[in-house]
Amino acid sequence: MKSRILLLVALSLSFLVSAQETVQSIDLETCLQLGGANNLTIQEYKQKQELALADLASAKEWWLPEVYAGIQLHQLWGKAMNGNGLFFEDVNRQNFWGGLGFNASWDFGKGIYTKQAAELKAEAAQYDSQTAQNKAILNILETYYDFMVSQLYADAYAQLANQSDTIAAQMQVQVDAGMRYESEALLAHSNTNHLKIEQLNTRMELITQSAKLMELLNLSSSMKLVATDSVLVPLRLTDATAVSTLDFSSVYESRPELKSAELSLQALTTEKKSFTTGLLLPELRLGSYGSYFGDVVYNLDPTSQINGSLMWRVPLGQLIYKGDKKRFDSKIALQRTSILQTKAHISAEITCLREQINIAQMQINIAKEASTLAQEALSQCIQRQALGLVNPLEIMQAQEIFIESKLDHLQAVAAYNKASYGLVVAMGGNL
């Protein structure tokens, strides 16, 4: 009785959970749309791009003066010192100031080069955002193919398990009629249970891949994804054979991460000028105001003032030790090394993806032929089984070979498509 109650509770909870789930049909095109809109990594780099633009706006402010306006009150009691050094006792001094003025300071050595460097960094941030988007969408595409293959795996095992169950029932009828040994029926039932276990394993893998895809697409965990692409076919997005004669310099020019790296190098070179050429440029200061000044109550008279200076500052520490210059030289050298490493990585990536596509194409051709042959063999075994003319081990072997060849074909097509999309990005394309 207790076990029945627990079973009813479990079924009720399962019903409630399933009732709350929203089935979301998804295909490759939907993944691309949702990936560009919802992926958190893409949103993060877009926000970094906005931050770079904000830094650029801040760097442009250097030449604008500070304007001020208002009033000032001053009151002094006690002893005060006169201009020539005399002291006056019992002083009660008060005055009023009200006016408008401005102060401006132009540090040409830093202002000009800081603004130019900020412009280069903002442009580099755009390419960083594009690089992140390509990587994120490529990751989504690969995860979608893993999810789709898992779903097709589960469907294939479900179909095979149902087929095996039917065969086991037929054998049991033949055993009851004295046409077969009971051990053959037992073996068939055991094979059915094995296929059901494999079906559950594929469902576990399907749940794992579905969770990964929902995380990348930033979807609610209450959703249940179902791939609507029921057939997996190879996509010929690029000509892999043309890669062998590819001019890598043209690829380097189109890769956004290299564009970003080159712009970052230019930004570092520009910032360095603040501590080299910028030291030769002066700092200009201007200040002026117009006001009424005098006693708090009466005798307020117009008062104006202008201040100006043009100064060359000579930082002896930077001229002798050149610490800032050396620091930027090291950063520039590191950035150049990083660019060379990125180029080497791109070359190796393209070569590797080209070989992956070629090998996957051969796997597709072999697996397709094997799947066709295995399907025909299994069909003949099932027909002979209905007549009681086949050994159960032969059917089990035919089922095993059929499912393995079918899965080999699915894996080969998925690998081909993943590598094809990867090659598009590796050659400088955008997703």
Side-chain angles (χ1 to χ4, degrees), residues 277-298:
T277 308
L279 297 180
L280 304 176
L281 300 177
E283 179 182 1
L284 175 63
R285 290 179 178 271
L286 292 177
S288 178
Y289 69 78
S291 69
Y292 277 90
F293 182 74
D295 200 350
V296 176
V297 180
Y298 61 90

Side-chain angles (χ1 to χ4, degrees), residues 352-368:
C352 181
L353 288 170
R354 179 195 62 191
E355 295 303 320
Q356 288 180 12
I357 290 175
N358 292 334
I359 292 174
Q361 182 62 67
M362 291 187 287
Q363 290 176 331
I364 290 172
N365 297 335
I366 296 172
K368 184 177 182 180

Side-chain angles (χ1 to χ4, degrees), residues 60-76:
K60 290 179 178 179
E61 299 171 0
W62 73 276
W63 63 276
L64 295 172
E66 174 188 320
V67 178
Y68 61 90
I71 60 175
Q72 292 180 0
L73 295 175
H74 173 73
Q75 181 72 53
L76 173 66

Side-chain angles (χ1 to χ4, degrees), residues 23-291:
V23 177
Q24 173 68 51
S25 300
I26 195 167
D27 56 14
L28 191 60
E29 182 179 359
T30 306
C31 277
L32 292 173
Q33 293 174 350
L34 292 176
N38 296 347
N39 185 264
L40 295 178
T41 301
I42 295 176
Q43 292 182 21
E44 176 188 358
Y45 274 86
K46 285 182 178 179
Q47 291 164 0
K48 288 183 178 180
Q49 180 180 345
E50 292 176 359
L51 177 60
L53 293 174
D55 291 338
L56 173 59
S58 179
K60 290 179 178 179
E61 299 171 0
W62 73 276
W63 63 276
L64 295 172
E66 174 188 320
V67 178
Y68 61 90
I71 60 175
Q72 292 180 0
L73 295 175
H74 173 73
Q75 181 72 53
L76 173 66
W77 292 277
K79 181 179 288 189
M81 184 177 182
N82 195 20
N84 63 359
L86 298 176
F87 287 92
F88 294 88
E89 304 289 341
D90 299 325
V91 173
N92 184 3
R93 184 174 69 197
Q94 60 184 9
N95 60 56
F96 171 87
W97 182 97
L100 174 68
F102 77 92
N103 287 318
S105 175
W106 292 277
D107 189 343
F108 297 103
K110 290 186 178 179
I112 294 174
Y113 298 121
T114 300
K115 173 181 172 294
Q116 292 177 357
E119 290 175 344
L120 293 169
K121 290 179 180 179
E123 189 176 355
Q126 296 179 2
Y127 290 113
D128 287 337
S129 180
Q130 184 61 60
T131 301
Q133 178 172 326
N134 286 337
K135 289 182 178 179
I137 294 181
L138 190 59
N139 190 18
I140 289 172
L141 289 172
E142 292 175 350
T143 305
Y144 172 75
Y145 277 116
D146 292 338
F147 167 71
M148 183 180 174
V149 167
S150 298
Q151 181 174 298
L152 294 175
Y153 276 16
D155 293 342
Y157 271 109
Q159 180 182 359
L160 209 58
N162 292 333
Q163 184 184 82
S164 180
D165 196 26
T166 302
I167 292 174
Q170 291 177 352
M171 284 191 175
Q172 187 62 49
V173 172
Q174 293 171 351
V175 169
D176 294 339
M179 299 173 59
R180 285 187 178 276
Y181 295 106
E182 185 177 2
S183 60
E184 294 179 331
L186 295 175
L187 194 60
H189 285 298
S190 176
N191 183 54
T192 300
N193 289 339
H194 168 71
L195 292 174
K196 289 179 179 179
I197 291 293
E198 291 296 329
Q199 180 186 353
L200 292 174
N201 289 335
T202 57
R203 284 183 59 186
M204 291 174 60
E205 178 64 19
L206 178 61
I207 292 172
T208 300
Q209 297 301 331
S210 176
K212 289 181 180 179
L213 188 57
M214 285 192 294
E215 179 182 1
L216 292 174
L217 297 178
N218 195 23
L219 298 176
S220 172
S221 58
S222 62
M223 288 186 176
K224 180 181 180 181
L225 295 181
V226 176
T228 56
D229 294 321
S230 58
V231 179
L232 193 58
V233 295
L235 302 176
R236 304 184 186 279
L237 303 176
T238 56
D239 185 4
T241 57
V243 178
S244 57
T245 59
L246 184 66
D247 181 11
F248 282 97
S249 60
S250 62
V251 174
Y252 296 152
E253 293 175 357
S254 58
R255 286 289 291 256
E257 56 264 54
L258 271 179
K259 291 181 180 179
S260 173
E262 292 287 352
L263 288 168
S264 297
L265 178 61
Q266 294 177 34
L268 287 172
T269 304
T270 302
E271 282 185 288
K272 176 186 171 183
K273 292 180 180 179
S274 298
F275 303 96
T276 54
T277 308
L279 297 180
L280 304 176
L281 300 177
E283 179 182 1
L284 175 63
R285 290 179 178 271
L286 292 177
S288 178
Y289 69 78
S291 69

